[in-house]
Amino acid sequence: MIYPMIHANKVELMAPAGNFESLQAALDNGANSIYFGVEQLNMRARATINFTIEDLPEIAKRCMDKNVYSYLTLNTIVYDHDLSIVKSLLEKAKQAKITAVIASDQAVIALAREIGLPVHISTQLNITNIETVKFYSLFADTVVLSRELSLRQIKHITQSIVKQQIKGPSNELVKVEIFGHGALCMAVSGKCYLSLHSHNSSANRGACKQNCRKKYTVIDQESGFEIEIDNQYMMSPKDLSTIDFLDQVVDSGVSILKIEGRGRSPEYVAKVVKTYKQALDAIAQGSYTKDKIQQWIKELEKVYNRGFWSGYYLGQKLGQWSDNPGSSATQKKVYIGKALHYFTQKSIVEFKIEAYDIKVGDTILITGPTTGAKQNTIETIQVEKTPVNHAHRGQTCTIQIPFRVRLSDKLYKIVEG
């Protein structure tokens, strides 16, 4: 199999794709690779509208057209009754020329190796030392390290791989992948059973109920004493962000930086991928500055987040917890309507305004399976071929858009949160 070439001095930026909109957003904004799940056998089986087996050729084609790797996540607990669909899925992925499978179950790893489909070891296996890396190099070309390691520990592992010349089945040095941005779980490497105990819905089968994101009261049942907790969401970690020490992440020797978020919106994918791509390019060019970092942080705050912290990379022993149950994004999207027609020659789109009014000067977001997620500022609006400042609910209007828009693409207005 021929894979895209990524410059040796650059870190591969890996983006989530929960659907075709997010996939296209990742491709349009500079991702070097994408990861996605198919149907029920992935860790976000209920968090997003997953792809089907029939989507594999289209996913692979879009990625290959952009010179981007495609990784199938098949990292849940697997039971005997799952094995037939696992085999079928792996075979279809191989036929579609998907780059690799991200796996944690030994059966999945073995089945993928049997058909020559490259394997990445999932963070679910909690790799924390060089001997474990050496063991899994027998089966995999890439290992995803535990999220609980510090950058010092990660650098020791990457340096040891080079020093000991630890190679995978491809006869290339084993690559190290770590998480760079997105949601964190209170459980070690995501191995949580809280949802299973409370709702008989296993997070390790892709069916997490997000119990940890709720507010709880803790009471000593012997005395009835209620324990005072400063932070009411003590099981809900803030989101990971490495943008302000990304130079240290690159220096640690990792090969792949993963953005979490297969359950997130396409505009989240677009914003985060674009921001981290700019930061990685700045590091490579020697122009990674404090001023740029502050601007990048502001950009990341515009989309879904629970507040940011640096994870365990800088040596913290305890987590930092969110202070609200939802997003702290500084911007949000408001649904306006759908595209009815795109006039190619004039780059004009006809929209049906179904929900809220829009006006000249508004920042709008257009999303679609082929369009991805693109923003623009409205400069002119016409209703019945007459220039207007506002378009109201129930009206059909035309807006000039500098990119291709498709029938039924959704129109949103971006407002301050």
Side-chain angles (χ1 to χ4, degrees):
M1 185 181 296
I2 299 175
Y3 302 128
M5 295 299 295
I6 296 172
H7 196 281
N9 292 330
K10 285 193 174 182
V11 173
E12 176 185 323
L13 184 59
M14 181 179 174
N19 52 40
F20 276 114
E21 292 182 358
S22 294
L23 169 63
Q24 195 60 47
L27 297 178
D28 289 341
N29 286 277
N32 301 117
S33 59
I34 61 97
Y35 65 103
F36 66 96
V38 172
E39 297 175 358
Q40 71 266 38
L41 291 175
N42 73 94
M43 294 298 287
R44 294 294 183 273
R46 293 189 184 179
T48 186
I49 301 172
N50 284 281
F51 295 106
T52 66
I53 291 179
E54 288 71 29
D55 292 325
L56 289 172
E58 176 66 14
I59 295 168
K61 181 182 183 302
R62 289 200 196 186
C63 289
M64 285 188 286
D65 286 347
K66 289 278 193 174
N67 206 32
V68 166
Y69 296 125
S70 56
Y71 303 135
L72 167 67
T73 58
L74 213 168
N75 56 348
T76 61
I77 291 173
V78 174
Y79 297 118
D80 282 322
H81 66 264
D82 298 317
L83 291 177
S84 60
I85 190 172
V86 168
K87 292 178 182 179
S88 177
L89 179 53
L90 291 173
E91 288 169 357
K92 294 290 186 181
K94 172 73 172 178
Q95 293 169 12
K97 298 183 179 179
I98 297 298
T99 308
V101 60
I102 302 172
S104 59
D105 190 284
Q106 282 74 19
V108 179
I109 296 169
L111 290 168
R113 293 292 303 135
E114 284 179 12
I115 63 173
L117 182 62
V119 174
H120 291 194
I121 299 299
S122 170
T123 191
Q124 300 298 116
L125 285 179
N126 195 35
I127 296 175
T128 57
N129 61 75
I130 190 61
E131 290 300 321
T132 305
V133 171
K134 191 182 300 183
F135 172 78
Y136 282 113
S137 71
L138 298 171
F139 317 103
D141 296 304
T142 299
V143 296
V144 187
L145 298 184
S146 167
R147 284 178 269 190
E148 291 73 37
L149 294 178
S150 68
L151 288 180
R152 180 182 59 81
Q153 291 170 311
I154 292 168
K155 189 169 185 176
H156 178 266
I157 289 173
T158 61
Q159 289 178 335
S160 297
I161 289 172
V162 175
K163 183 178 181 180
Q164 299 180 34
Q165 288 292 290
I166 300 172
K167 298 180 178 181
S170 67
N171 204 34
E172 298 289 336
L173 290 177
V174 170
K175 292 182 178 180
V176 167
E177 175 189 321
I178 65 170
F179 284 73
H181 188 92
L184 287 172
C185 178
M186 67 172 184
V188 173
S189 290
K191 285 284 190 179
C192 183
Y193 293 90
L194 184 60
S195 182
L196 177 65
H197 291 321
S198 62
H199 293 86
N200 195 32
S201 185
S202 176
N204 301 298
R205 293 278 288 175
C208 179
K209 291 290 188 179
Q210 298 279 295
N211 306 50
C212 58
R213 308 300 182 186
K214 298 179 180 179
K215 181 168 63 176
Y216 292 91
T217 300
V218 181
I219 299 175
D220 182 338
Q221 292 191 357
E222 290 186 4
S223 65
F225 176 74
E226 182 175 327
I227 300 174
E228 182 178 349
I229 300 171
D230 291 335
N231 190 311
Q232 293 178 317
Y233 300 90
M234 63 173 294
M235 293 187 291
S236 179
K238 289 182 178 180
D239 288 355
L240 172 66
S241 175
T242 61
I243 200 76
D244 57 339
F245 59 96
L246 194 59
D247 54 340
Q248 296 179 58
V249 173
V250 172
D251 182 65
S252 73
V254 298
S255 300
I256 305 172
L257 188 71
K258 175 180 179 179
I259 295 170
E260 190 277 339
R262 275 181 292 146
R264 298 281 172 256
S265 64
E267 65 270 19
Y268 170 93
V269 175
K271 178 72 71 177
V272 178
V273 170
K274 183 177 181 179
T275 302
Y276 274 85
K277 186 67 173 179
Q278 290 175 348
L280 287 170
D281 288 346
I283 292 169
Q285 296 161 7
S287 59
Y288 179 78
T289 64
K290 290 183 178 180
D291 288 343
K292 287 184 177 180
I293 290 170
Q294 290 306 309
Q295 184 57 43
W296 290 326
I297 291 173
K298 289 180 181 177
E299 288 299 304
L300 294 171
E301 287 175 342
K302 291 179 180 179
V303 291
Y304 193 102
N305 71 86
R306 299 182 180 90
F308 297 131
W309 75 297
S310 57
Y312 297 94
Y313 291 142
L314 300 181
Q316 288 90 337
K317 294 182 179 180
L318 297 174
Q320 292 184 18
W321 312 105
S322 60
D323 56 7
N324 64 73
S327 176
S328 299
T330 59
Q331 291 184 344
K332 63 181 180 180
K333 63 181 181 183
V334 177
Y335 177 74
I336 301 297
K338 292 180 181 178
L340 300 178
H341 191 77
Y342 178 76
F343 300 92
T344 306
Q345 292 184 341
K346 295 185 178 181
S347 298
I348 290 176
V349 188
E350 182 180 40
F351 290 103
K352 177 67 175 180
I353 308 302
E354 298 177 340
Y356 294 92
D357 298 353
I358 55 172
K359 67 181 185 300
V360 173
D362 280 345
T363 299
I364 56 173
L365 168 73
I366 299 174
T367 68
T370 305
T371 303
K374 292 184 171 67
Q375 288 191 21
N376 193 49
T377 300
I378 299 177
E379 295 182 356
T380 61
I381 302 175
Q382 289 193 357
V383 175
E384 296 181 353
K385 298 183 179 181
T386 301
V388 296
N389 287 324
H390 289 75
H392 303 287
R393 179 180 177 182
Q395 290 183 322
T396 298
C397 71
T398 55
I399 303 172
Q400 192 164 35
I401 303 292
F403 48 82
R404 182 76 168 87
V405 177
R406 284 86 180 172
L407 179 67
S408 295
D409 278 1
K410 295 177 182 178
L411 171 67
Y412 299 89
K413 178 167 62 175
I414 301 296
V415 299
E416 296 302 312

